Amino acid sequence: MTSPLTLDSVRRAPKALLHDHLDGGLRPATVLDLAQQTGYDDLPATDVDSLATFFRTAAHSGSLERYLEPFAHTVGVMQTPEALYRVAHECVEDLAADNVVYAEIRFAPELHIDRGLSLDAVVDAVLAGFVDGEKAASSEGRTITVRCLVTAMRHQARSLEIAELAIRFRDKGVVGFDIAGAEAGYPPTRHLDAFEYMRNHNGHFTIHAGEAFGLPSIHEAIAFCGADRLGHGVRIVDDITVAPDGTVHLGRLAALLRDKRIPLELCPSSNVQTGAVDSIAEHPFDLLARSRFRVTVNTDNRLMSDTTMSQEMLRLVEAFGYGWSDLARFTINAMKSAFIPFDERLAIIDEVIKPRFAVLIG
Ligand SMILES: [Zn+2]
Protein backbone atom coordinates (compact mmCIF):
# COMPACT_ATOMS: atom_id res chain seq x y z
CA MET A 1 0.00 0.00 0.00
CA THR A 2 1.26 3.49 -0.82
CA SER A 3 2.19 5.54 2.25
CA PRO A 4 0.45 8.94 2.42
CA LEU A 5 2.81 11.90 2.03
CA THR A 6 3.29 13.45 5.45
CA LEU A 7 6.30 14.97 7.17
CA ASP A 8 6.75 11.68 8.97
CA SER A 9 6.67 9.49 5.87
CA VAL A 10 8.85 11.92 3.88
CA ARG A 11 11.34 11.69 6.76
CA ARG A 12 11.49 7.94 6.24
CA ALA A 13 12.31 8.36 2.54
CA PRO A 14 16.00 8.27 1.53
CA LYS A 15 17.31 11.68 0.49
CA ALA A 16 20.38 13.03 -1.29
CA LEU A 17 21.66 16.54 -0.60
CA LEU A 18 24.12 18.46 -2.77
CA HIS A 19 23.89 22.02 -1.48
CA ASP A 20 24.19 22.60 2.25
CA HIS A 21 26.54 24.99 4.04
CA LEU A 22 28.31 23.71 7.15
CA ASP A 23 28.23 27.18 8.75
CA GLY A 24 24.50 27.47 7.96
CA GLY A 25 23.43 24.30 9.75
CA LEU A 26 24.55 24.58 13.37
CA ARG A 27 22.25 23.74 16.27
CA PRO A 28 21.47 26.97 18.18
CA ALA A 29 22.52 25.29 21.45
CA THR A 30 25.88 24.42 19.90
CA VAL A 31 26.43 28.03 18.83
CA LEU A 32 25.94 29.08 22.46
CA ASP A 33 28.19 26.32 23.83
CA LEU A 34 30.97 27.06 21.39
CA ALA A 35 30.76 30.80 22.03
CA GLN A 36 31.29 30.11 25.72
CA GLN A 37 34.08 27.61 25.16
CA THR A 38 35.99 29.74 22.68
CA GLY A 39 35.39 33.14 24.28
CA TYR A 40 33.32 34.54 21.41
CA ASP A 41 31.27 37.33 22.98
CA ASP A 42 29.49 38.97 20.04
CA LEU A 43 26.38 36.75 19.99
CA PRO A 44 23.14 38.77 19.76
CA ALA A 45 21.40 36.57 22.40
CA THR A 46 22.33 34.54 25.46
CA ASP A 47 19.64 31.83 25.49
CA VAL A 48 18.86 29.14 22.94
CA ASP A 49 15.34 30.28 22.01
CA SER A 50 16.25 33.93 21.42
CA LEU A 51 19.30 32.88 19.44
CA ALA A 52 17.27 30.51 17.26
CA THR A 53 14.74 33.30 16.65
CA PHE A 54 17.53 35.72 15.74
CA PHE A 55 18.91 33.39 13.07
CA ARG A 56 15.50 32.69 11.57
CA THR A 57 14.29 36.30 11.46
CA ALA A 58 17.58 37.60 10.09
CA ALA A 59 17.22 35.09 7.27
CA HIS A 60 13.75 36.36 6.32
CA SER A 61 15.21 39.65 5.24
CA GLY A 62 14.39 39.57 1.53
CA SER A 63 17.93 40.23 0.31
CA LEU A 64 20.94 37.96 -0.17
CA GLU A 65 23.27 40.48 1.48
CA ARG A 66 21.17 40.64 4.71
CA TYR A 67 20.61 36.87 4.62
CA LEU A 68 24.37 36.43 4.84
CA GLU A 69 24.82 38.64 7.96
CA PRO A 70 24.15 36.05 10.71
CA PHE A 71 26.92 33.86 9.30
CA ALA A 72 29.40 36.16 11.07
CA HIS A 73 28.27 34.51 14.33
CA THR A 74 28.34 30.88 13.23
CA VAL A 75 31.71 31.39 11.58
CA GLY A 76 32.80 33.32 14.69
CA VAL A 77 32.43 30.26 16.91
CA MET A 78 34.03 27.87 14.36
CA GLN A 79 37.66 28.92 14.78
CA THR A 80 39.21 25.96 16.62
CA PRO A 81 39.74 22.34 15.51
CA GLU A 82 37.45 21.13 18.33
CA ALA A 83 34.64 23.47 17.29
CA LEU A 84 34.95 22.54 13.59
CA TYR A 85 35.00 18.84 14.46
CA ARG A 86 31.89 19.12 16.64
CA VAL A 87 29.91 21.12 14.07
CA ALA A 88 30.82 18.63 11.32
CA HIS A 89 29.96 15.65 13.54
CA GLU A 90 26.58 17.10 14.53
CA CYS A 91 25.84 18.00 10.92
CA VAL A 92 26.14 14.32 9.94
CA GLU A 93 24.02 13.24 12.95
CA ASP A 94 21.25 15.70 12.05
CA LEU A 95 21.22 14.70 8.39
CA ALA A 96 21.23 10.99 9.23
CA ALA A 97 18.30 11.52 11.62
CA ASP A 98 16.41 12.98 8.64
CA ASN A 99 17.35 9.92 6.55
CA VAL A 100 19.68 11.76 4.24
CA VAL A 101 21.77 8.92 2.78
CA TYR A 102 24.23 11.03 0.78
CA ALA A 103 25.33 14.62 1.34
CA GLU A 104 27.93 17.02 0.01
CA ILE A 105 28.52 19.64 2.68
CA ARG A 106 30.36 22.79 1.71
CA PHE A 107 32.21 25.43 3.68
CA ALA A 108 34.81 28.14 3.13
CA PRO A 109 38.09 27.23 4.91
CA GLU A 110 39.38 30.80 4.52
CA LEU A 111 36.71 31.98 7.00
CA HIS A 112 38.03 29.75 9.78
CA ILE A 113 41.64 30.89 10.12
CA ASP A 114 41.09 33.96 12.35
CA ARG A 115 42.85 32.26 15.26
CA GLY A 116 45.80 31.03 13.30
CA LEU A 117 44.69 27.63 11.99
CA SER A 118 46.12 26.67 8.62
CA LEU A 119 43.71 25.93 5.77
CA ASP A 120 44.80 22.29 5.91
CA ALA A 121 44.14 22.05 9.67
CA VAL A 122 40.66 23.49 9.14
CA VAL A 123 39.81 20.91 6.47
CA ASP A 124 41.35 18.07 8.53
CA ALA A 125 39.12 18.93 11.52
CA VAL A 126 35.95 19.03 9.43
CA LEU A 127 36.72 15.78 7.60
CA ALA A 128 37.44 14.03 10.91
CA GLY A 129 34.03 15.20 12.18
CA PHE A 130 32.35 13.84 9.05
CA VAL A 131 34.06 10.44 9.31
CA ASP A 132 33.22 10.03 13.00
CA GLY A 133 29.68 11.31 12.37
CA GLU A 134 29.21 8.62 9.71
CA LYS A 135 30.43 5.98 12.17
CA ALA A 136 28.11 7.27 14.93
CA ALA A 137 25.13 7.19 12.53
CA SER A 138 26.07 3.70 11.39
CA SER A 139 26.17 2.45 14.99
CA GLU A 140 22.54 3.60 15.25
CA GLY A 141 21.60 1.74 12.10
CA ARG A 142 21.58 4.72 9.73
CA THR A 143 23.83 4.62 6.69
CA ILE A 144 25.01 7.98 5.40
CA THR A 145 27.88 9.01 3.13
CA VAL A 146 29.10 12.57 3.60
CA ARG A 147 31.61 14.30 1.38
CA CYS A 148 32.98 17.83 1.42
CA LEU A 149 33.15 20.71 -1.04
CA VAL A 150 35.51 23.58 -0.28
CA THR A 151 34.20 27.02 -1.12
CA ALA A 152 36.07 30.20 -2.00
CA MET A 153 34.46 33.54 -1.19
CA ARG A 154 33.74 35.43 -4.40
CA HIS A 155 34.61 38.87 -2.97
CA GLN A 156 38.03 37.65 -1.80
CA ALA A 157 41.11 36.76 -3.83
CA ARG A 158 42.01 33.33 -2.45
CA SER A 159 40.10 31.15 -4.88
CA LEU A 160 43.18 29.60 -6.53
CA GLU A 161 44.55 28.65 -3.12
CA ILE A 162 41.20 27.06 -2.21
CA ALA A 163 41.07 25.17 -5.51
CA GLU A 164 44.56 23.82 -4.72
CA LEU A 165 43.25 22.78 -1.31
CA ALA A 166 40.36 20.92 -2.97
CA ILE A 167 42.77 18.94 -5.13
CA ARG A 168 45.19 18.32 -2.24
CA PHE A 169 42.36 16.73 -0.23
CA ARG A 170 40.61 15.01 -3.14
CA ASP A 171 41.34 11.50 -1.87
CA LYS A 172 40.54 12.34 1.75
CA GLY A 173 36.89 13.36 1.46
CA VAL A 174 36.85 16.63 -0.51
CA VAL A 175 35.07 15.93 -3.80
CA GLY A 176 34.81 19.41 -5.28
CA PHE A 177 35.13 23.16 -5.25
CA ASP A 178 32.63 26.05 -5.21
CA ILE A 179 32.48 29.81 -5.03
CA ALA A 180 29.88 31.61 -2.91
CA GLY A 181 28.96 34.98 -1.44
CA ALA A 182 27.22 38.09 -2.75
CA GLU A 183 26.89 37.85 -6.53
CA ALA A 184 26.36 41.47 -7.56
CA GLY A 185 29.69 43.03 -8.52
CA TYR A 186 31.63 39.78 -8.10
CA PRO A 187 31.17 37.77 -11.29
CA PRO A 188 32.59 34.23 -11.37
CA THR A 189 34.99 35.35 -14.11
CA ARG A 190 37.07 37.03 -11.34
CA HIS A 191 38.09 33.48 -10.41
CA LEU A 192 38.95 32.02 -13.82
CA ASP A 193 42.40 30.86 -12.69
CA ALA A 194 40.82 28.74 -9.93
CA PHE A 195 38.40 27.08 -12.35
CA GLU A 196 41.19 26.53 -14.83
CA TYR A 197 43.21 24.86 -12.08
CA MET A 198 40.26 22.57 -11.26
CA ARG A 199 39.79 21.65 -14.94
CA ASN A 200 43.52 21.03 -15.40
CA HIS A 201 43.40 18.61 -12.48
CA ASN A 202 40.20 16.90 -13.66
CA GLY A 203 38.35 18.17 -10.60
CA HIS A 204 34.65 18.83 -10.12
CA PHE A 205 33.17 22.21 -9.28
CA THR A 206 29.90 23.99 -8.85
CA ILE A 207 29.30 27.75 -8.78
CA HIS A 208 26.72 29.80 -6.87
CA ALA A 209 25.09 31.61 -9.79
CA GLY A 210 21.69 32.84 -10.86
CA GLU A 211 20.44 33.28 -7.32
CA ALA A 212 20.27 37.01 -6.62
CA PHE A 213 21.70 37.85 -10.01
CA GLY A 214 20.25 36.99 -13.39
CA LEU A 215 21.21 35.23 -16.57
CA PRO A 216 24.67 36.78 -17.08
CA SER A 217 26.05 34.99 -14.01
CA ILE A 218 24.64 31.66 -15.21
CA HIS A 219 26.05 32.22 -18.68
CA GLU A 220 29.50 33.03 -17.28
CA ALA A 221 29.45 30.04 -14.93
CA ILE A 222 28.73 27.67 -17.81
CA ALA A 223 30.39 29.26 -20.84
CA PHE A 224 33.55 30.76 -19.32
CA CYS A 225 34.10 28.81 -16.11
CA GLY A 226 32.84 25.36 -17.14
CA ALA A 227 30.82 24.61 -13.99
CA ASP A 228 29.65 21.01 -13.58
CA ARG A 229 26.59 22.15 -11.60
CA LEU A 230 24.90 25.41 -10.66
CA GLY A 231 24.33 26.49 -7.07
CA HIS A 232 20.70 27.67 -7.33
CA GLY A 233 20.59 28.70 -11.01
CA VAL A 234 16.98 29.57 -10.36
CA ARG A 235 17.06 32.74 -12.51
CA ILE A 236 17.37 30.53 -15.60
CA VAL A 237 13.60 30.99 -15.54
CA ASP A 238 14.25 34.45 -17.07
CA ASP A 239 15.21 32.61 -20.27
CA ILE A 240 11.96 30.61 -20.36
CA THR A 241 8.61 31.85 -21.65
CA VAL A 242 5.25 30.19 -21.11
CA ALA A 243 2.61 31.01 -23.75
CA PRO A 244 -1.04 31.56 -22.72
CA ASP A 245 -1.83 28.03 -23.93
CA GLY A 246 0.84 26.62 -21.61
CA THR A 247 3.46 25.94 -24.27
CA VAL A 248 6.94 26.33 -22.80
CA HIS A 249 9.68 27.93 -24.91
CA LEU A 250 13.31 27.74 -23.82
CA GLY A 251 15.85 30.39 -24.79
CA ARG A 252 19.30 29.28 -25.97
CA LEU A 253 20.90 29.32 -22.50
CA ALA A 254 18.00 27.51 -20.85
CA ALA A 255 18.04 24.91 -23.61
CA LEU A 256 21.78 24.40 -23.18
CA LEU A 257 21.40 23.84 -19.43
CA ARG A 258 18.61 21.36 -19.91
CA ASP A 259 20.09 19.52 -22.86
CA LYS A 260 23.54 19.19 -21.27
CA ARG A 261 21.80 17.95 -18.10
CA ILE A 262 23.51 20.63 -15.96
CA PRO A 263 22.19 19.96 -12.44
CA LEU A 264 20.40 22.82 -10.69
CA GLU A 265 20.94 22.82 -6.92
CA LEU A 266 17.58 24.39 -6.08
CA CYS A 267 16.92 25.56 -2.52
CA PRO A 268 13.23 26.58 -2.36
CA SER A 269 12.94 28.05 1.17
CA SER A 270 16.25 29.87 0.93
CA ASN A 271 15.18 31.43 -2.39
CA VAL A 272 12.02 32.81 -0.77
CA GLN A 273 13.99 34.23 2.16
CA THR A 274 16.59 35.99 0.02
CA GLY A 275 13.85 37.41 -2.20
CA ALA A 276 14.93 35.47 -5.30
CA VAL A 277 11.29 34.28 -5.53
CA ASP A 278 8.16 35.48 -3.69
CA SER A 279 6.80 32.18 -2.35
CA ILE A 280 7.23 28.42 -2.71
CA ALA A 281 4.05 28.32 -4.82
CA GLU A 282 5.62 30.84 -7.21
CA HIS A 283 8.98 29.08 -7.23
CA PRO A 284 9.96 28.01 -10.76
CA PHE A 285 10.89 24.59 -9.39
CA ASP A 286 7.82 23.01 -10.93
CA LEU A 287 8.22 24.71 -14.31
CA LEU A 288 11.84 23.54 -14.39
CA ALA A 289 10.89 20.01 -13.29
CA ARG A 290 8.11 19.73 -15.90
CA SER A 291 10.47 21.07 -18.57
CA ARG A 292 12.86 18.22 -17.67
CA PHE A 293 15.74 20.20 -16.25
CA ARG A 294 17.99 18.19 -13.91
CA VAL A 295 16.38 19.61 -10.75
CA THR A 296 17.55 18.70 -7.26
CA VAL A 297 16.12 19.67 -3.86
CA ASN A 298 18.42 21.22 -1.27
CA THR A 299 18.42 22.94 2.11
CA ASP A 300 21.16 25.59 1.64
CA ASN A 301 21.21 26.65 5.32
CA ARG A 302 19.19 24.51 7.72
CA LEU A 303 19.61 26.88 10.68
CA MET A 304 18.90 30.19 8.94
CA SER A 305 16.14 28.76 6.78
CA ASP A 306 14.75 26.70 9.68
CA THR A 307 14.45 23.67 7.43
CA THR A 308 15.42 20.08 6.75
CA MET A 309 15.50 18.00 3.56
CA SER A 310 12.16 16.46 4.54
CA GLN A 311 10.59 19.87 5.05
CA GLU A 312 11.85 21.13 1.68
CA MET A 313 10.40 18.04 0.00
CA LEU A 314 7.08 18.41 1.83
CA ARG A 315 6.79 22.12 0.95
CA LEU A 316 7.16 21.17 -2.71
CA VAL A 317 4.56 18.40 -2.32
CA GLU A 318 2.12 20.90 -0.80
CA ALA A 319 2.77 23.55 -3.44
CA PHE A 320 2.80 21.36 -6.54
CA GLY A 321 1.04 18.11 -5.64
CA TYR A 322 4.04 15.85 -6.12
CA GLY A 323 3.85 12.13 -5.35
CA TRP A 324 6.44 9.56 -4.29
CA SER A 325 7.61 8.95 -7.86
CA ASP A 326 8.42 12.66 -8.22
CA LEU A 327 10.37 12.71 -4.94
CA ALA A 328 12.22 9.58 -6.06
CA ARG A 329 13.09 11.27 -9.37
CA PHE A 330 14.43 14.40 -7.64
CA THR A 331 16.47 12.22 -5.28
CA ILE A 332 17.92 10.12 -8.10
CA ASN A 333 18.63 13.35 -10.02
CA ALA A 334 20.71 14.53 -7.05
CA MET A 335 22.50 11.24 -6.68
CA LYS A 336 23.33 11.12 -10.42
CA SER A 337 24.77 14.64 -10.08
CA ALA A 338 27.00 13.89 -7.08
CA PHE A 339 30.76 14.41 -7.38
CA ILE A 340 31.70 10.91 -6.17
CA PRO A 341 32.68 8.24 -8.76
CA PHE A 342 29.87 7.03 -11.01
CA ASP A 343 29.93 3.45 -9.75
CA GLU A 344 29.50 4.68 -6.17
CA ARG A 345 26.57 6.88 -7.23
CA LEU A 346 24.91 3.92 -8.94
CA ALA A 347 25.44 1.72 -5.90
CA ILE A 348 23.59 4.21 -3.67
CA ILE A 349 20.79 4.60 -6.26
CA ASP A 350 20.32 0.86 -6.82
CA GLU A 351 21.01 -0.49 -3.34
CA VAL A 352 19.62 2.26 -1.11
CA ILE A 353 17.40 4.83 -2.83
CA LYS A 354 15.30 2.67 -5.17
CA PRO A 355 14.55 -0.17 -2.69
CA ARG A 356 13.60 2.24 0.08
CA PHE A 357 11.30 4.25 -2.18
CA ALA A 358 9.76 1.01 -3.40
CA VAL A 359 8.63 0.28 0.17
CA LEU A 360 6.98 3.70 0.46
CA ILE A 361 5.34 3.52 -2.98
CA GLY A 362 4.01 0.06 -2.07
ZN1 LIG B 1 24.39 28.25 -0.99
Side-chain angles (χ1 to χ4, degrees), residues 38-260:
T38 64
Y40 179 83
D41 52 15
D42 286 337
L43 285 188
T46 53
D47 67 277
V48 174
D49 288 345
S50 315
L51 193 61
T53 305
F54 161 78
F55 281 117
R56 285 161 198 170
T57 46
H60 280 82
S61 54
S63 92
L64 179 59
E65 284 72 17
R66 294 243 359 250
Y67 181 89
L68 296 176
E69 283 173 13
F71 286 87
H73 301 296
T74 53
V75 164
V77 301
M78 295 166 67
Q79 298 293 335
T80 65
E82 297 76 17
L84 288 160
Y85 173 88
R86 175 172 168 182
V87 170
H89 195 289
E90 290 180 353
C91 168
V92 181
E93 287 174 37
D94 292 350
L95 294 177
D98 195 33
N99 280 308
V100 172
V101 297
Y102 178 81
E104 288 174 12
I105 306 298
R106 63 187 73 192
F107 80 109
E110 64 192 272
L111 299 178
H112 302 275
I113 55 176
D114 291 356
R115 296 198 185 185
L117 288 180
S118 66
L119 293 171
D120 288 54
V122 168
V123 177
D124 273 330
V126 168
L127 293 178
F130 286 160
V131 168
D132 288 352
E134 287 177 341
K135 286 181 194 154
S138 164
S139 71
E140 291 177 7
R142 298 182 192 275
T143 306
I144 180 169
T145 301
V146 177
R147 295 292 180 266
C148 186
L149 306 181
V150 289
T151 294
M153 300 308 293
R154 59 199 315 154
H155 60 282
Q156 298 291 350
R158 300 189 79 146
S159 50
L160 179 58
E161 214 179 333
I162 303 303
E164 289 166 355
L165 189 68
I167 295 302
R168 200 151 67 241
F169 279 86
R170 69 181 345 172
D171 296 322
K172 297 177 188 163
V174 174
V175 294
F177 170 71
D178 165 47
I179 59 166
E183 283 181 67
Y186 302 105
T189 41
R190 289 181 83 232
H191 304 283
L192 282 179
D193 52 349
F195 302 124
E196 191 182 344
Y197 183 87
M198 291 304 295
R199 290 196 307 269
N200 282 344
H201 289 79
N202 307 305
H204 297 284
F205 58 95
T206 177
I207 298 179
H208 274 76
E211 178 184 10
F213 214 59
L215 294 174
S217 75
I218 298 178
H219 179 248
E220 287 186 2
I222 299 301
F224 301 138
C225 307
D228 298 293
R229 305 193 310 234
L230 287 177
H232 299 283
V234 66
R235 297 310 328 159
I236 194 60
V237 71
D238 297 342
D239 198 35
I240 302 175
T241 49
V242 183
D245 69 354
T247 311
V248 176
H249 176 76
L250 305 188
R252 297 276 180 206
L253 180 59
L256 185 78
L257 283 196
R258 182 190 66 173
D259 298 345
K260 286 184 84 173

Side-chain angles (χ1 to χ4, degrees), residues 19-21 106 178 180 208 211 231-232 265 267 270 300-301:
H19 191 128
D20 185 272
H21 294 263
R106 63 187 73 192
D178 165 47
H208 274 76
E211 178 184 10
H232 299 283
E265 303 163 358
C267 309
S270 167
D300 209 8
N301 298 292

